Amino acid sequence: MHRQGLLCLLGSMLLLSSFGQLRTDGRKNYSLNGQVYYYTENDAPLSGEEAFSLFRSGAFSPVSTPGNNVNFGYTDRVHWLAFRISISDTIEGLEAGIANAGLYRLDHYQFASNGKLLFGHGPTGKHYPFSSRYIDNRHYYYPLQGSDDQPVTVLFRTDLRGGDFYAPLRLVTGRYRQISEQKLFNFYFFIEGLLVCILLLGVIAILAGRQKVFLYYFLYTLSYALLLFACSDWDFAYLYPQHPGWAVISTAMYGGMTLLFMLCFSIAYLEIKKSHPVLYKI
């Protein structure tokens, strides 16, 4: 019995060694192409331990990830994504994540080669309050455990059933993520600031002119500002962090409002009702 157990352990270690393994070398941002594996769940959900056991037994299949992106198109199944990494002692604050805020549910696990759970978190996702995220970010990031002498297997359980499966994987340092996010936030803050100025001018125009055309333009600009905020994935964190239902429908809702008030503004500004009454009725 002891001999059989030892053989099973050695076999598992040999299988793990056959998987691609990424080694850090001090960079801030890493490519995972050729290093990622996936597994599609059947009807019964898997635990982290069960998924790691399947990964160790070779049940996961390799998947191409150009640009670190995994794209399966429409899906009605839950997919597991996995990769192995050895973390150099010279690098600090390395994080693994998925830069898609639209994931319905995400669970994350990190296992040592011997099967010990080093880190686990979940569930989180767009169907859960924003406070469920481990790191306060519009996307999903987790600090990596492990070292050169203890490679770690990273597992993501991703649920996008009923939609297009798109998982932009990220392996970056926390500092790199913060700087990149701050630059992008500053850009959106500048654009939103311009739109707020236009909204203030719209309020003045409404009070001075008291015409519907100014009201429609104000509502169009407001809807577009909210749509831009939703497309940037920051609306969930700042507008309704405890109400994930709004985050799910926000892009479609603000997009519809933008089109509606743009149409109302165009009709009022061009006086379609007077100049083209038949077209107006249509």
Side-chain angles (χ1 to χ4, degrees), residues 9 47 90 101-102 105 132 138 151 215 223 227 237 268:
L9 179 60
S47 66
T90 61
R105 172 171 174 160
S132 66
R138 63 197 178 106
L215 175 62
S223 300
L227 175 63

Side-chain angles (χ1 to χ4, degrees), residues 158-261:
T158 56
D159 186 354
L160 263 170
R161 285 175 290 182
D164 289 332
F165 185 90
Y166 176 62
L169 294 171
R170 298 291 181 262
L171 183 61
V172 298
T173 62
R175 180 62 177 165
Y176 177 86
R177 171 184 57 80
Q178 292 170 359
I179 293 175
S180 301
E181 287 282 302
Q182 189 61 51
K183 289 179 179 178
L184 192 59
F185 181 83
N186 292 342
F187 171 76
Y188 276 101
F189 185 81
F190 174 74
I191 300 298
E192 294 286 354
L194 293 178
L195 292 174
V196 169
C197 293
I198 295 175
L199 288 172
L200 293 176
L201 292 175
V203 172
I204 296 173
I206 292 171
L207 295 176
R210 299 185 180 277
Q211 297 182 34
K212 286 185 178 180
V213 64
F214 297 126
L215 175 62
Y216 290 146
Y217 188 75
F218 173 84
L219 293 175
Y220 160 66
T221 305
L222 177 61
S223 300
Y224 181 72
L226 291 172
L227 175 63
L228 189 64
F229 205 43
C231 290
S232 69
D233 297 325
W234 273 300
D235 62 318
F236 191 11
Y238 290 99
L239 299 182
Y240 21 76
Q242 297 304 316
H243 302 282
W246 284 106
V248 174
I249 65 172
S250 61
T251 303
M253 180 175 65
Y254 297 145
M257 290 169 55
T258 301
L259 292 175
L260 174 63
F261 292 123

Side-chain angles (χ1 to χ4, degrees), residues 121-169:
H121 180 266
T124 186
K126 205 162 189 176
H127 286 176
Y128 298 85
F130 190 81
S131 58
S132 66
R133 305 190 182 192
Y134 188 82
I135 292 178
D136 186 8
N137 189 272
R138 63 197 178 106
H139 296 145
Y140 309 97
Y141 288 93
Y142 304 92
L144 282 179
Q145 314 299 317
S147 60
D148 270 336
D149 59 347
Q150 187 184 46
V152 60
T153 299
V154 178
L155 290 163
F156 292 103
R157 182 182 186 270
T158 56
D159 186 354
L160 263 170
R161 285 175 290 182
D164 289 332
F165 185 90
Y166 176 62
L169 294 171

